[in-house]
Amino acid sequence: MKAYIFPGQGAQFTGMGLDLYENSPLAQELFEKANNILGFSITDVMFEGTAEELKQTKVTQPAIFLHSVILAKVLGDDFKPEMVAGHSLGELSALVANGVLSFEDGLKLVSKRALAMQKACEIQPSTMAAVLGLEDAVVEEVCASIDGVVVAANYNCPGQLVISGEIEAVEKACEVLKEKGAKRALLLPVGGAFHSPMMEPAREELAAAIEETTFNEPMCPVYQNVVAKAVTNPAEIKENLIAQLTAPVRWTQCVQAMITDGGAEFVEVGPGKVLQGLMRKIDRSVAASGASLA
């Protein structure tokens, strides 16, 4: 079976989406529609902005979403997903690509998500750290033993887990994890503690917007971050999407579930090759490539 996977924050680069804009009238139309919906010219930032400008959460999330979703739409009849999944923000791209959300509704939710997360980051300083070379269970145990908020946030691939929470608690956890034999435990240059209880204000704000949005029957199952299994019921999809901001991204488990259910060919749709790299670390025997117009 063919699985399409959609990247999250961190995959952005200057010039992203320009080839789509220049080579496809449909892409051009969708990008212009996005500029109108967002109320600013995101195409200017995507095509010509600096890395610093692209890094602003209100830009990054819609930019990656647009690149992914417009690429999927431009592929036209070649885009025939039998299963989809997205990493964090990428889950919203996956939901538009498999027909659960309209392009407009998806973009509005992504924009609200970005602004709500930004606001939550400003309430209390918080951070994330990448932990390499330890078993998941060890990382979970250490997080549970630390005073303050620190949790496992992103299960990216075996031996690579991101933790998230209050700055002091994350720093303390990093020290203990190094003592436990982590190859690396280093703070990430992020604005806040995504996928942790620190995102509760953002979850509440986004929940209200999600509740008001129409969720359709999907074309194919979506393997959601929160449950790491196939979901087809729109009400369940909605519930899991609301839970996603404060719950961990179980990416390793999502991919393993897709493979178990017959996923044999994985195609990354969007900027960069982050997910293809993770695929190789999760299961080398499965084909992984990037979608392209050519």
Side-chain angles (χ1 to χ4, degrees):
M1 286 171 82
K2 203 165 189 180
Y4 286 89
I5 50 177
F6 297 83
Q9 214 160 324
Q12 69 275 9
F13 62 90
T14 299
M16 61 189 286
L18 184 58
D19 56 335
L20 292 171
Y21 190 91
E22 289 178 340
N23 293 300
S24 160
L26 172 62
Q28 204 167 46
E29 185 193 321
L30 290 170
F31 274 122
E32 291 304 342
K33 191 182 268 191
N35 286 338
N36 288 332
I37 290 170
L38 294 170
F40 69 96
S41 182
I42 193 163
T43 47
D44 285 355
V45 191
M46 287 172 73
F47 304 162
E48 296 157 19
T50 62
E52 206 47 51
E53 287 170 319
L54 266 175
K55 221 167 67 178
Q56 300 171 65
T57 298
K58 76 163 189 168
V59 173
T60 315
Q61 295 195 24
I64 291 166
F65 167 86
L66 288 169
H67 191 292
S68 295
V69 167
I70 292 173
L71 175 53
K73 288 194 181 290
V74 169
L75 291 171
D77 292 341
D78 291 341
F79 182 75
K80 291 195 178 75
E82 291 171 277
M83 42 174 65
V84 295
H87 189 290
S88 187
L89 156 76
E91 190 160 286
L92 279 148
S93 311
L95 292 176
V96 173
N98 83 343
V100 171
L101 291 169
S102 69
F103 173 79
E104 294 80 357
D105 283 346
L107 179 57
K108 285 174 190 166
L109 284 181
V110 166
S111 179
K112 281 191 175 131
R113 181 184 191 271
L115 296 170
M117 286 168 82
Q118 187 61 49
K119 249 193 270 177
C121 293
E122 286 158 11
I123 292 169
Q124 191 179 353
S126 55
T127 193
M128 300 175 87
V131 182
L132 306 182
L134 279 182
E135 293 285 323
D136 292 350
V138 176
V139 181
E140 290 162 355
E141 246 167 66
V142 168
C143 287
S145 73
I146 303 286
D147 282 339
V149 177
V150 56
V151 295
N154 293 358
Y155 294 80
N156 286 333
C157 64
Q160 187 189 321
L161 217 169
V162 175
I163 60 173
S164 182
E166 293 166 338
I167 293 173
E168 270 182 47
V170 172
E171 286 173 345
K172 179 69 182 144
C174 285
E175 284 169 33
V176 178
L177 289 162
K178 283 178 193 157
E179 287 163 16
K180 295 270 185 189
K183 283 185 197 157
R184 294 174 84 182
L186 69 163
L187 294 181
L188 295 173
V190 293
F194 305 134
H195 301 288
S196 83
M198 313 286 288
M199 285 291 119
E200 182 55 31
R203 190 196 66 79
E204 286 172 17
E205 202 172 315
L206 192 64
I210 288 173
E211 290 296 359
E212 288 167 13
T213 304
T214 303
F215 278 55
N216 307 305
E217 292 284 336
M219 279 188 249
C220 68
V222 55
Y223 287 70
Q224 289 187 279
N225 293 177
V226 171
V227 290
K229 63 178 185 187
V231 187
T232 53
N233 178 311
E236 271 178 62
I237 291 172
K238 210 176 232 197
E239 213 173 286
N240 293 333
L241 193 62
I242 290 170
Q244 198 220 57
L245 282 190
T246 52
V249 172
R250 300 185 181 280
W251 187 249
T252 305
Q253 297 88 333
C254 277
V255 171
Q256 287 167 339
M258 292 167 98
I259 294 167
T260 301
D261 293 349
E265 189 190 339
F266 283 72
V267 182
E268 181 170 7
V269 188
K273 295 181 176 180
V274 172
L275 299 183
Q276 292 164 69
L278 295 180
M279 280 299 305
R280 282 190 280 278
K281 291 172 180 157
I282 295 168
D283 190 332
R284 270 197 173 279
S285 68
V286 179
S289 61
S292 68
L293 288 180

